[in-house]
Amino acid sequence: MNYYVKRRAVALLAVPALLFTAAACGSDGDDSEGGAGAVATVKGKVGEKPKIALPKDDPSETTVTKTVAEGDGEVIKKSDFVRLDWAVEKWDGAKELGSTWTSASSGSTPRQQAVEQIGQQSQQLPDKVLNGVKGKKVGSRVLVQGTAGDLIGENLNTSSGIAKTDVLVWVVDAVGAASVDSKAEAEGKQAASASGMPEVKAQSQKAATITIPKGEKAPKELKQQVLIEGDGKKVEAGQGLIAQYTGVKWEDGKTFDSSWNHNGATAFQIGTGAVVPGWDKGLVGKKVGDRVLLVIPPSLGYGSSPSSELAKNTLVFVVDILGTV
């Protein structure tokens, strides 16, 4: 079974109003004023929930991509990893369909945001919306307006109640961006696994070979070990973490997923409940450049999701932390 990190193996994303079943083909990210018709206006500061105002006139007949506010950060490039806030509203009836701002923070836990890679399939945004930030500066706010048929296409989730002719207005804030080679990996001498921990043989550019110790019972608590110590900054809750990873089941030692079997380095938000608790607990506070061995009991994995094929499994991961965004 093939598990993609953002969909199955690691993430427990709570995405409001999922409108599409898979991302549609993207655009080049350049501003476009559209054709005849009105364009929504956006009020509020970047970083705060936007207030979308819809004119009484009929909306533009073609898709519009517009920079509402220009940031002063680095220009977002093709294949960059990005961390984003977003909100989407339906033109007719001014109905909000979803927003990262609705995911309120709880105590010291930051709220969830979208962490994506330009040019790769998004789990929260149509490609044309995600690509709207390409070429813009970090700190910018971008508006993308168009019909669901144009922005999402044949991948529109028909059960969402949105028709292809409905006009959608997306507002996206580019919170951060980072460039990391998709084939990057942790570098340095790897330590031997501690007693009772799985053995790890990491071949360059390939999924790690993880061997479960014979005769050892699966631990009931999270176990972790830094196998290679990096010299980068500490990972903070709320950041997007860029990583390579391989995961196996303790019970049979079989690999169920690896970034090396997909597009290489991937990213996800850490410390916000967007991934399984074992990742949040085991990776926040580690450093960029670390290679981390995690043994995650079901209670910190998929034990709370009975429908998951991994609900009863103890999960073993080797994670190379390549960067943050």
Side-chain angles (χ1 to χ4, degrees):
M1 179 69 71
N2 183 28
Y3 290 82
Y4 182 58
V5 63
K6 287 188 176 181
R7 222 178 249 283
R8 302 286 295 281
V10 178
L12 292 174
L13 293 172
V15 183
L18 186 62
L19 301 178
F20 51 92
T21 55
C25 294
S27 61
D28 59 10
D30 294 334
D31 283 1
S32 57
E33 294 300 326
V39 177
T41 58
V42 182
K43 297 181 179 179
K45 296 180 180 180
V46 177
E48 298 178 356
K49 186 175 182 179
K51 297 179 180 179
I52 302 172
L54 304 176
K56 295 182 179 179
D57 298 334
D58 291 335
S60 171
E61 298 174 355
T62 57
T63 294
V64 177
T65 302
K66 180 180 179 181
T67 302
V68 176
E70 185 176 17
D72 57 5
E74 296 293 322
V75 174
I76 298 171
K77 302 180 293 299
K78 179 181 178 181
S79 78
D80 272 2
F81 292 91
V82 292
R83 181 157 54 96
L84 309 169
D85 273 310
W86 59 266
V88 58
E89 193 168 296
K90 180 182 174 183
W91 186 285
D92 184 19
K95 179 182 178 183
E96 183 179 288
L97 303 176
S99 168
T100 56
W101 280 277
T102 61
S103 176
S105 59
S106 175
S108 60
T109 302
R111 61 185 172 81
Q112 293 184 13
Q113 297 169 308
V115 176
E116 308 286 357
Q117 185 179 15
I118 303 296
Q120 297 295 328
Q121 186 182 50
S122 167
Q123 299 303 309
Q124 295 195 39
L125 303 171
D127 283 357
K128 284 191 176 183
V129 176
L130 175 59
N131 284 337
V133 302
K134 185 173 67 175
K136 308 298 190 295
K137 294 181 179 180
V138 172
S140 294
R141 169 166 284 179
V142 179
L143 176 146
V144 181
Q145 173 185 313
T147 65
D150 184 46
L151 294 180
I152 305 173
E154 62 184 18
N155 297 301
L156 178 66
N157 183 357
T158 55
S159 65
S160 67
I162 303 297
K164 289 186 176 182
T165 55
D166 286 332
V167 173
L168 305 179
V169 180
W170 295 78
V171 178
V172 182
D173 286 1
V175 179
S179 298
V180 172
D181 186 346
S182 64
K183 299 300 182 183
E185 54 195 338
E187 298 180 354
K189 185 177 181 180
Q190 180 175 299
S193 297
S195 177
M197 291 287 277
E199 179 184 349
V200 177
K201 292 183 178 179
Q203 296 179 332
S204 181
Q205 305 297 300
K206 293 183 179 180
T209 299
I210 303 173
T211 304
I212 306 301
K214 292 182 179 180
E216 289 283 345
K217 292 184 178 180
K220 295 182 179 180
E221 297 180 351
L222 175 69
K223 299 293 183 181
Q224 53 185 297
Q225 181 183 354
V226 176
L227 299 177
I228 294 178
E229 187 169 350
D231 57 5
K233 294 182 178 180
K234 286 187 177 181
V235 176
E236 298 178 5
Q239 290 182 320
L241 188 148
I242 307 167
Q244 303 281 11
Y245 71 93
T246 298
V248 307
K249 293 178 286 185
W250 180 285
E251 289 74 13
D252 59 15
K254 292 183 178 180
T255 300
F256 59 84
D257 198 14
S258 177
S259 59
W260 293 106
N261 296 333
H262 304 296
N263 298 309
T266 190
F268 46 88
Q269 196 179 26
I270 195 74
T272 65
V275 293
V276 293
W279 280 59
D280 281 343
K281 292 178 179 293
L283 297 179
V284 171
K286 298 298 190 292
K287 294 183 293 185
V288 173
D290 282 356
R291 172 170 291 161
V292 184
L293 174 61
L294 297 174
V295 181
I296 302 174
S299 61
L300 296 178
Y302 287 92
S304 61
S305 302
S307 60
S308 171
E309 297 177 25
L310 300 174
K312 296 181 179 180
N313 292 116
T314 296
L315 310 179
V316 182
F317 284 99
V318 175
V319 183
D320 286 7
I321 302 175
L322 307 177
T324 57
V325 59

